[in-house]
Amino acid sequence: MGNRSIKWGIVGLGNIASQFASDLLLIENAELTAVASRDLTKAEEFGGKFNALRMYNSYDLLFDDSEVEIIYIATPHNSHAELSIKALESGKHVLCEKPMSLSYKDAERMIAASKKHNVFFMEAFWTRFIPSVQDLLQKIGNGIIGDVNYIKADFAFRGSETENKRLFDKELGGGALFDIGVYPLFLSYIVLGYPKEIAAKAIKHKNDIDLQTSMILQYETAQSLLHASIVSESDMKAIISGTRGRIELNAPWYVADGYSLFINEEKEATFTLPTLGKGYSHEITECQNCILNNEIESKLWSHQNSLDLSRIVEEIKTQVKLPF
């Protein structure tokens, strides 16, 4: 990537931002220049922990920092669109935590801002860049399991309204679909593309967010059975099955450290492909490469990829009548 360091800013300093910042420290030529929270004490604590040069109690101050080149936005879902657009309008590159927005219309606005201001934008689907997913996509593309005709994937855990308040907060975009359901949808999309039909059913909270949602994506010769829940557990494995064999991603599949390959029901091989750090490191590297190559989008997770996934989520949101 050359010798020049890329100077990062982080907006929103919660748990995901902490994991991201830990991985940022592992990347050569990455520098945490500034962090911002509406709580200055929180910003100072976070910045001190991860060696940030400057700490702000205002997002606008970070957007105005002339040294910051790219901003990682890790605030709650409901603020992603407006903060991303504001950062892009300030001439900053943006890596926005998934889901990029709560509506397809906002997703279009975000992509339009990236193009208008000629600055890099990417939705932070870190799973796309981890070694195991990169490797299995290549193998599937080479036909190792034949034609894919079935995918099973879920993301489920037992959350608590007292301990995981954001997850159950309608105003912040809480619920299973937007927080974790996007992951199995993403897997189906990167393997099989945009579906012909979508069917979804949800169990709702009294405040109208979805507690669990099950989805079927129908393709010409394939189906994906997908599930997301914040009130029950699952084994968090994923299966991609084809006419010759199948791939089983290790749990938790969205950050799998490897997978098993089965050919004609016999276990053929086990592949071990650990991530660097938690796994955010791989999307960080992709962002830096794109910026140094003057690209405003990633070829691996493009603007169109994000728009397609947003349209799929929008259809499910409409079917299960979510309030966003």
Side-chain angles (χ1 to χ4, degrees), residues 1-11 20 24-25 27-35 50-54 56 62-73 87 90-95 119-120 284-285 287-292:
M1 293 190 301
N3 296 319
R4 184 172 80 78
S5 290
I6 300 294
K7 300 181 186 302
W8 287 77
I10 299 178
V11 165
F20 181 90
L24 195 68
L25 295 175
I27 303 300
E28 187 181 358
N29 302 332
E31 177 185 295
L32 183 54
T33 299
V35 299
F50 296 108
N51 305 323
L53 300 180
R54 289 184 287 284
Y56 297 116
L62 191 148
F63 295 157
D64 291 339
D65 188 320
S66 61
E67 286 192 24
V68 172
E69 295 175 78
I70 178 168
I71 297 173
Y72 171 58
I73 293 176
S90 299
K92 306 300 187 188
H93 305 296
V94 170
L95 174 65
V119 281
F120 175 81
I284 292 168
T285 299
C287 290
Q288 299 209 155
N289 282 331
C290 289
I291 290 169
L292 290 170

Side-chain angles (χ1 to χ4, degrees), residues 59-261:
Y59 299 157
D60 287 340
L61 288 175
L62 191 148
F63 295 157
D64 291 339
D65 188 320
S66 61
E67 286 192 24
V68 172
E69 295 175 78
I70 178 168
I71 297 173
Y72 171 58
I73 293 176
T75 54
H77 308 332
N78 65 320
S79 62
H80 286 179
E82 297 310 322
L83 289 176
S84 292
I85 291 169
K86 199 165 194 178
L88 293 164
E89 289 174 342
S90 299
K92 306 300 187 188
H93 305 296
V94 170
L95 174 65
C96 178
E97 193 49 62
K98 55 89 221 104
M100 61 189 286
S101 67
L102 294 175
S103 74
Y104 180 68
K105 184 180 290 186
D106 278 345
E108 288 185 308
R109 291 171 56 224
M110 296 160 82
I111 299 303
S114 169
K115 292 178 177 176
K116 178 181 178 181
H117 298 284
N118 197 37
V119 281
F120 175 81
F121 174 85
M122 191 174 83
E123 183 181 19
F125 254 107
W126 60 316
T127 303
R128 177 64 182 87
F129 306 97
I130 63 173
S132 58
V133 168
Q134 297 261 45
D135 192 68
L136 73 84
L137 285 176
Q138 184 178 44
K139 286 188 171 65
I140 290 171
N142 291 336
I144 197 166
I145 59 170
D147 296 327
V148 175
N149 51 25
Y150 173 67
I151 293 175
K152 182 192 82 70
D154 53 21
F155 194 146
F157 61 89
R158 190 178 296 116
S160 161
E161 289 194 57
T162 54
E163 295 175 15
N164 312 103
K165 290 182 180 179
R166 179 190 61 77
L167 275 178
F168 293 84
D169 191 326
K170 181 171 73 172
E171 299 306 315
L172 297 181
L177 175 63
F178 278 96
D179 203 76
I180 55 178
V182 290
Y183 280 99
L185 289 168
F186 154 85
L187 183 65
S188 179
Y189 173 74
I190 60 171
V191 175
L192 290 170
Y194 201 90
K196 290 186 67 179
E197 296 177 53
I198 301 167
K201 293 289 185 181
I203 293 174
K204 310 281 276 297
H205 188 278
K206 60 187 177 184
N207 70 3
D208 242 11
I209 65 163
D210 62 318
L211 297 173
Q212 60 185 56
T213 295
S214 294
M215 302 156 280
I216 301 175
L217 302 193
Q218 179 84 14
Y219 298 85
E220 193 70 50
T221 58
Q223 291 179 321
S224 294
L225 303 184
L226 314 171
H227 178 72
S229 174
I230 55 174
V231 292
S232 59
E233 297 176 356
S234 75
D235 61 11
M236 299 274 251
K237 291 182 179 178
I239 297 172
I240 303 168
S241 186
T243 52
R244 291 189 63 244
R246 72 183 188 274
I247 285 171
E248 295 187 1
L249 278 158
N250 297 351
W253 69 263
Y254 59 90
V255 65
D257 59 0
Y259 61 90
S260 297
L261 172 66

